[in-house]
Amino acid sequence: MELHRVGIIGLGLIGGSIGLDLQAKGHEVCGWVNKEENAIKAKERGLAQFISTDPEIIADCSIVILALPLPQLIEPAKQLINALPINAVITDVGSVKKPVLNKWRRLHPKFVASHPMSGTIHTGVEAGQRKLFKNKPWVATPDETTDNDALTVVKNLAISLGSDWITTDAETHDQAVALISHLPVYISASLLKSVNEERNNKVSTLAKTIASSGFKDTTRVGGGNPDLGVAMARYNSEKILETFTTYRASIDKFEKMISHKQWDKLKQELEQTQQNRSNYL
Amino acid sequence: MELHRVGIIGLGLIGGSIGLDLQAKGHEVCGWVNKEENAIKAKERGLAQFISTDPEIIADCSIVILALPLPQLIEPAKQLINALPINAVITDVGSVKKPVLNKWRRLHPKFVASHPMSGTIHTGVEAGQRKLFKNKPWVATPDETTDNDALTVVKNLAISLGSDWITTDAETHDQAVALISHLPVYISASLLKSVNEERNNKVSTLAKTIASSGFKDTTRVGGGNPDLGVAMARYNSEKILETFTTYRASIDKFEKMISHKQWDKLKQELEQTQQNRSNYL
C-alpha cells in the first residue's frame, strides 16, 4: 500500500486507535486535537507523530479522518472546514451516515462517508488501542456524488487495518444500526430504569444484590456513555423510532404468550431466537 | 463443618457443580440421575462418588439437594417423594420459590427452599464445574413452616461453597428475580425477534453482518435455553407480567424523549442509568 501523510481530527477511542495502527504500517500521522492537555497526553501515548491544537497540522495530508463526535461532525466548525486540504481524501467515522453524508457531500469533493464498527467501553485520549478494527466491519455509504478514487483510498486504508469492508447506502446503514446498535441502548437502559424505579424497597434492594451475569450483560450498553446515547437518538431518531414500534410488537407477543399460558408457542419462539442468534453471532 | 452423606437428585450444571465442590470438601456424595447414559457420563466426570438411576442411592443421606428443572420440582414424581429419607434435610435449587415452597412444605418436614444464583450457558451432565458458587448469592426463602435447624444446615453448606447467604421471603425473591433474571430473557429475545422479523431484506442482512459486541451482550440471555425460558414464565408468570408493565412504561418514556426531541432529559436519564448500573454491578 502507498504510504500517506494522514491527518486525524480527534484522537479519542477511534481516532487514537487509527493513529496507532497507521503508524505501525509506516504512514505519517498528524493529529489535530481540541485541547492542549489532550495534545500532551496523545503525545505521551504516541497516538500520532505530529500532534497539535493548530489546524495547520493537517495542511499537507493526503487523507484526513474526521474522528469526531456526531454533533461536531454534523454541525462542523468553520475552522474545521477551512482547514481541510482540497485535494485530500476526507472520511469520517460517525455511527449515523445519512445526516453526515447530506452535510459533507456539499462541503468537500472527496468526502467518503464511513463507519468503522469497533468499540470498547473506553473513551477519550486514553482509550486508543492497537488492532481495534481487526476483523470488524468498516461500512462505507457512498452515493452518486462520491468520488470513486477517494472511495478506493478509504477502502484500502480500512482493509490495511484488518477491517471487513462493506458498502451500502446510508439509509440501509442507518436502519441497520438503529436495530442492532442504537435500539439496544434504550431497551437496556429501560431495564435499568425499571429496576431503579421499583417501588417495593425490599424487592429493589434484593434485585440489586443478586443481579448476576445475565443482568450485567443485558444492561451493559444501557449503562454506556450518555453523550453517545443522546447523539444516536438525535441524529438517527426517525429510524430509531421505527425500531421502537417493531420492538414493542415483539415484547407484546411475548407478554401475550405468557399471559395466555401458550407454553408450546413460547418454547417455539425461544427456540427460534436461540437459533437466530447462533446463526449470525 | 460436619461431614455429611449428601444426595443430589440430578447432576446437571447446578447439581454436578455442587457434587464436585462437596467432594472436594470431604463429603460423601450420592447422585441419582434419570438415565443410564447420564450415570455413565457423570461417573466419568466424577460428579459424585456413588451414582445410580436407582432411588435407593439416596437412602442413607442426611442432606438431599433437589437439583431438578422447575417442572420436575413443582410437579414431583411419586417415586421421588417416596425416596426421600424422612430425617434428611431437603433443599432445592429452583429459580422460582413460591410455587416450590407451596408444594414442598407439605411434602417434607425438613424442606428448605433455596436458590443458588450461578449460571453458565452450559447445561446437562457435562456442565458441572468447580467453584461455580464462589462469591455468588445463595438465596433461601424460609417461611413459618421451615425447620430452623434444617435452615442452618443448608446455610452452612452454601457458605462452605463460598456463596453469599441471603434470606428473604419467597414473594420478594420471585419479584426480584422476575425483574433482574426473568424479564431480561424476554426483552433480549424480543430484540432478536425484531431483527429476525425486519421486512427490509437489505436491512436485515446488513444488521446480521454488522451485529457487534453490544448486540451480542444484549441478546445473550434471549438466546439461552428455551426450556428454562418457558419454565420461568410458567412458574413465575404473575410477577413476570408485572415487570412487563413496569418495563413498557420505561420504554415508552425513552421513546417519548426521542420523539419529542427532549435531549437534555434523555441525557439526564442515561446519566442516571449509567450511575445506577455502576452502583450495583
Side-chain angles (χ1 to χ4, degrees), chain A residues 117 119 137 139 166 168-169 171-173 175-177 179-181 183-198 200 202-204 206-227 229-230 233-235 237 240-241 243-255 257-259 261 263 266-267 269-274 276-277 280-281, chain B residues 117 119 137 139 166 168-169 171-173 175-177 179-181 183-198 200 202-204 206-227 229-230 233-235 237 240-241 243-255 257-259 261 263 266-267 269-274 276-277 280-281:
Chain A
M117 298 201 59
V139 186
I166 296 168
T168 188
D169 58 287
E171 176 99 4
T172 301
H173 169 277
Q175 278 180 265
V177 294
L179 204 51
I180 55 103
S181 176
L183 174 67
V185 169
Y186 313 108
I187 69 178
S188 171
S190 294
L191 178 58
L192 286 161
K193 191 172 165 68
S194 299
V195 175
N196 199 48
E197 293 182 355
E198 167 62 45
N200 182 328
K202 263 170 81 181
V203 171
S204 109
L206 181 64
K208 289 172 185 178
T209 308
I210 64 180
S212 61
S213 61
F215 186 76
K216 196 169 177 173
D217 284 353
T218 317
T219 58
R220 186 172 73 79
V221 298
N225 181 354
D227 289 318
V230 173
R234 190 161 177 172
Y235 298 111
S237 57
I240 290 174
L241 290 170
T243 67
F244 267 90
T245 306
T246 316
Y247 182 69
R248 189 179 287 97
S250 300
I251 279 280
D252 288 350
K253 282 178 197 155
F254 277 107
E255 189 184 23
M257 288 175 234
I258 297 174
S259 65
K261 303 190 190 302
W263 310 130
L266 179 60
K267 185 165 177 189
E269 284 287 347
L270 292 174
E271 281 169 350
Q272 183 80 54
T273 56
Q274 186 184 42
N276 293 152
R277 188 173 184 272
Y280 61 89
L281 278 180
Chain B
M117 298 200 61
V139 187
I166 296 168
T168 188
D169 58 287
E171 176 99 4
T172 301
H173 169 277
Q175 278 180 267
V177 295
L179 204 49
I180 56 102
S181 175
L183 175 67
V185 170
Y186 313 107
I187 70 178
S188 171
S190 295
L191 178 58
L192 285 160
K193 190 171 165 70
S194 299
V195 175
N196 199 47
E197 293 182 354
E198 166 63 45
N200 182 328
K202 262 170 83 181
V203 171
S204 105
L206 182 64
K208 290 172 185 178
T209 308
I210 64 180
S212 61
S213 61
F215 186 76
K216 194 169 176 172
D217 284 353
T218 317
T219 58
R220 185 172 72 80
V221 299
N225 181 352
D227 289 318
V230 173
R234 189 161 178 173
Y235 298 110
S237 58
I240 291 173
L241 289 170
T243 67
F244 267 90
T245 306
T246 316
Y247 182 70
R248 189 180 286 98
S250 299
I251 279 280
D252 287 350
K253 282 177 197 155
F254 278 107
E255 188 183 26
M257 289 175 233
I258 298 173
S259 65
K261 303 190 190 305
W263 310 130
L266 179 61
K267 187 168 175 185
E269 284 287 349
L270 292 174
E271 280 169 351
Q272 183 80 55
T273 56
Q274 185 183 41
N276 293 152
R277 186 172 185 275
Y280 60 88
L281 279 180

Side-chain angles (χ1 to χ4, degrees), chain A residues 106-123:
Chain A
R106 287 163 203 182
L107 291 179
H108 199 284
K110 290 191 178 176
F111 178 76
V112 175
S114 83
H115 178 203
M117 298 201 59
S118 276
T120 69
I121 55 165
H122 306 292
T123 56

Side-chain angles (χ1 to χ4, degrees), chain B residues 32 36 60 70 90 95 140 147 182 188 224 229 238 256 264 267:
Chain B
W32 176 19
E36 196 50 52
D60 298 322
L70 280 175
I90 314 292
S95 59
D147 180 296
H182 302 171
S188 171
E238 187 195 328
K256 198 178 157 196
D264 290 344
K267 187 168 175 185

Side-chain angles (χ1 to χ4, degrees), chain B residues 8-42:
Chain B
I8 305 180
I9 322 280
L11 292 170
L13 173 66
I14 302 295
S17 299
I18 294 177
L20 288 169
D21 278 0
L22 287 180
Q23 289 177 84
K25 299 273 170 200
H27 301 280
E28 238 177 27
V29 179
C30 307
W32 176 19
V33 296
N34 57 346
K35 291 179 200 156
E36 196 50 52
E37 57 180 288
N38 286 340
I40 293 165
K41 278 192 210 155

Side-chain angles (χ1 to χ4, degrees), chain B residues 63-82:
Chain B
I63 304 179
V64 176
I65 299 163
L66 311 171
L68 293 164
L70 280 175
Q72 281 116 286
L73 191 59
I74 292 172
E75 290 149 56
K78 264 229 168 89
Q79 191 194 24
L80 167 62
I81 301 165
N82 294 337

